[in-house]
Amino acid sequence: MPAAEKPGFVSYSIQRIDRPDANYMLFWLQNSRNEHTLGIVGRDARHNKKWKYKTHPDLTAYPAYNSDTKNEVLVWLASIGAEHMVPAKKATNLPTMTEDDWLRLQPKAAKAAVAAKEAAEKPSQTAAKPKESAQKAKELASKAKETAASKPKGRPRKKAKVREICMYCNKTSHASEDCPVKLAAEEGPGSEDEEISNSEGEDKEAEAEQSSEPETNRHQPAAAPQRSQSGRDASHSPEVQDAYEHDPDLLRWVSGSLDQEKLELLTRWSTQLTGIVSPKPPQEMHLDSEGQPLRWLPTNTAINILRKLESQQVTLRLLELSQISMPVAMLRNNASAEVATLAKTLAKRWRELAVAALDCATKALERRA
């Protein structure tokens, strides 16, 4: 409507109506001819005094207006000329709201009511819809079965190969049942001795190959021998010799020279003894503190290693570098009585040597002071 044809409103009245669905605040606009038009509708949908105001759809002469406060609505009414308020009780000829009018204020409710009326007018059609949908579902299911039967079946998917780790030697080249370590243990103690001797022979062959390398590589000093050389020089100092001059065996144990072949042999035995020592292979895989599977070592093999270890002249430097004292100490509580006895004997011998060396060093310091 053009601006010249806008109705001229002179006052307004506020009508409060509470309904089950919401609370309403109707702003009726009155012109000079005492005609009323619904201009603003306030709605409290949840009955918590949070009002939402907006213009009525029939008020097309002005742009749509929305607000959350009543004061802003009053300012907007004054802007269109309705400055004076007439109480609803004194206002005359206020229109009466019908149910259709209330439905117009509720778009969702109006749509629901229209849908209910249409469903009531056409009950046969609404009742036929579920049957039709069920028939369509059956037809689609039958078509799906026919297409599935007509299509050729694809090749079955191959299962991914999972490489299992052997619980006896930590290798993936063979299964645990075919492990040569297990088979050697089942044959008897003689095969275990052969296994140890074979491993020693392989180590000697590797050392021979290393000795056949060019002289430039062979004479290059390695990191471990450098450390052992420095430690040996420190142990041969005059102070150390004076401290252990009354006990040559103890001096040899503290300041003995480092034998590289013996160190490699003790390191290999330390690795073997770190695993699970039992007469039969364990049925379940055991993991160490780092999550790695532990190797299985037959009891007879462990006994042979401990007996050979008894005949070896072990020095303090060899114990430190090979770390063989830790697995030997763990075997003191082994289920095999012979393994536990041998381990206790070795651990006691090394402990007594360490205590004696400490006492001699303490007395030497006291004499020097």
Side-chain angles (χ1 to χ4, degrees), residues 4 9 28 55 60 153 171 227 247 255 265 289 301-302 333 369:
F9 299 113
W28 296 97
T55 54
T60 58
K153 294 183 179 180
K171 295 182 180 179
R227 291 197 303 270
D247 195 341
S255 61
L265 179 62
S289 58
T301 305
N333 299 324

Side-chain angles (χ1 to χ4, degrees), residues 251-269:
L251 177 62
R252 193 181 305 109
W253 185 75
V254 174
S255 61
S257 60
L258 181 63
D259 188 350
Q260 194 65 29
E261 295 181 1
K262 188 176 293 185
L263 175 60
E264 294 176 359
L265 179 62
L266 294 180
T267 304
R268 185 171 67 252
W269 287 349

Side-chain angles (χ1 to χ4, degrees), residues 112-126:
V114 172
K117 287 182 180 180
E118 291 179 356
E121 291 175 359
K122 300 177 181 180
S124 59
Q125 295 181 0
T126 55

Side-chain angles (χ1 to χ4, degrees), residues 270-341:
S270 176
T271 304
Q272 293 178 347
L273 295 175
T274 305
I276 301 174
V277 178
S278 59
K280 297 181 180 180
Q283 297 181 356
E284 298 180 358
M285 183 180 297
H286 298 270
L287 304 178
D288 58 6
S289 58
E290 298 180 357
Q292 299 296 329
L294 291 174
R295 296 181 58 179
W296 169 68
L297 184 67
T299 303
N300 295 331
T301 305
I303 292 172
N304 294 335
I305 293 175
L306 293 174
R307 287 177 178 173
K308 292 182 179 181
L309 191 57
E310 278 185 332
S311 61
Q312 295 288 334
Q313 291 184 358
V314 182
T315 62
L316 178 61
R317 190 63 174 166
L318 288 173
L319 290 177
E320 291 177 352
L321 296 179
S322 64
Q323 298 182 354
I324 197 171
S325 58
M326 290 188 290
V328 170
M330 295 295 293
L331 291 176
R332 292 179 299 174
N333 299 324
N334 192 268
S336 174
E338 189 172 359
V339 172
T341 303

Side-chain angles (χ1 to χ4, degrees), residues 119-188:
E121 291 175 359
K122 300 177 181 180
S124 59
Q125 295 181 0
T126 55
K129 285 183 180 180
K131 295 182 179 180
E132 293 177 358
S133 61
Q135 291 178 357
K136 289 182 179 179
K138 290 181 179 179
E139 292 176 358
L140 292 174
S142 61
K143 288 181 180 180
K145 289 182 180 180
E146 292 176 359
T147 53
S150 60
K151 289 182 179 180
K153 294 183 179 180
R155 295 181 179 179
R157 294 182 178 179
K158 295 182 178 180
K159 295 184 179 180
K161 294 183 178 179
V162 180
R163 293 186 175 182
E164 298 182 356
I165 301 176
C166 178
M167 66 174 63
Y168 310 119
C169 62
N170 299 343
K171 295 182 180 179
T172 57
S173 59
H174 55 265
S176 301
E177 298 177 355
D178 302 331
C179 181
V181 178
K182 177 187 175 184
L183 298 176
E186 292 177 353
E187 290 177 2

Side-chain angles (χ1 to χ4, degrees), residues 14 31 38 43 48-49 94 152 172 189 192 209 214 239 243 247 296 303 307 344 346 348 364:
I14 301 176
N31 56 15
L38 185 57
R43 191 166 183 266
N48 56 359
K49 297 182 180 181
L94 284 178
T172 57
E192 297 165 1
E209 292 178 358
E239 292 82 1
D247 195 341
W296 169 68
I303 292 172
R307 287 177 178 173
K344 289 178 182 178
L346 286 171
K348 182 179 179 182

